Amino acid sequence: MEARKVSDSETVATHRALPSDANPAGNVHGGVILKHIDLAGAVCAMRHARGCTVVTASIDRMEFKAPAHVGELLILKASVNMVSSKSMEVGVRVESENLLTGDVRHVASAYLTFVAMDENRKPTPAPPLVFESQTHIRRNEEAMRRRELRQEERRREKLAQERMASAESPEPAKTKELY
């Protein structure tokens, strides 16, 4: 499998915020932003995996930093940060541009994990990643740390669930003698 450069899959998507996207205060609903983050991330992941579909496995560190308003342009910038044997991380940055003034602000960021799927809808490896800048290398190192933390958190949760299950296992009922 031939490695692919980060720039080969970088994606920029836009969405003009309409009244149907907003709450009564005129701010774009977080769910609308999240939907567009997932779409931009999936396009980026599919561009990297070429020939495979991808599915969203998780969303990490979803951070809303500032509101986006009706009439503004959401600009979503997605980039593959890391590829492992079974998944890939895509970072998505959302900016909001006031089309009248040109003012641009960072409104949200998230890290998404995608899994490439073969024609039988089974996970398949994605191509390795070729870094083209120090920024790409830094993002990869940060993504690997996030992956390690997610894996450790899953291990802790599983252990806690196992402990809880063993503590809840029914013991023989103790009865008082009535006579």
Side-chain angles (χ1 to χ4, degrees), residues 23-175:
N23 61 26
N27 297 328
V28 177
H29 283 288
V32 170
I33 293 172
L34 189 55
K35 172 186 171 184
H36 289 285
I37 286 172
D38 190 34
L39 289 170
V43 168
C44 182
M46 286 186 75
R47 285 174 135 179
H48 181 76
R50 287 283 187 215
C52 300
T53 59
V54 299
V55 295
T56 309
S58 69
I59 299 176
D60 251 5
R61 302 264 308 271
M62 180 64 237
E63 294 183 56
F64 294 99
K65 299 183 174 290
H69 307 288
V70 169
E72 293 182 334
L73 184 68
L74 297 179
I75 305 160
L76 299 100
K77 300 174 180 178
S79 179
V80 177
N81 293 333
M82 185 224 29
V83 175
S84 69
S85 62
K86 296 182 181 177
S87 64
M88 64 186 108
E89 183 193 273
V90 175
V92 181
R93 177 186 171 98
V94 183
E95 296 173 344
S96 186
E97 178 183 349
N98 180 316
L99 293 170
L100 299 175
T101 66
D103 180 49
V104 175
R105 67 190 174 289
H106 182 189
V107 298
S109 288
Y111 299 105
L112 298 88
T113 301
F114 290 94
V115 176
M117 307 297 275
D118 66 16
E119 61 279 351
N120 298 314
R121 297 185 183 207
K122 301 289 182 201
T124 188
L129 198 56
V130 175
F131 308 112
E132 303 167 272
S133 70
Q134 286 302 112
T135 298
H136 294 162
I137 293 168
R138 176 186 53 79
R139 287 177 181 168
N140 179 258
E141 290 169 353
E142 292 167 352
M144 288 189 297
R145 283 195 292 278
R146 281 189 293 276
R147 182 173 184 263
E148 289 170 10
L149 291 171
R150 281 191 304 272
Q151 290 173 332
E152 178 58 33
E153 183 179 18
R154 281 191 210 109
R155 283 190 288 273
R156 283 195 312 271
E157 287 172 354
K158 184 177 180 183
L159 184 59
Q161 290 167 357
E162 289 169 353
R163 283 189 197 134
M164 188 65 102
S166 67
E168 292 174 355
S169 62
E171 293 182 9
K174 296 182 181 180
T175 57

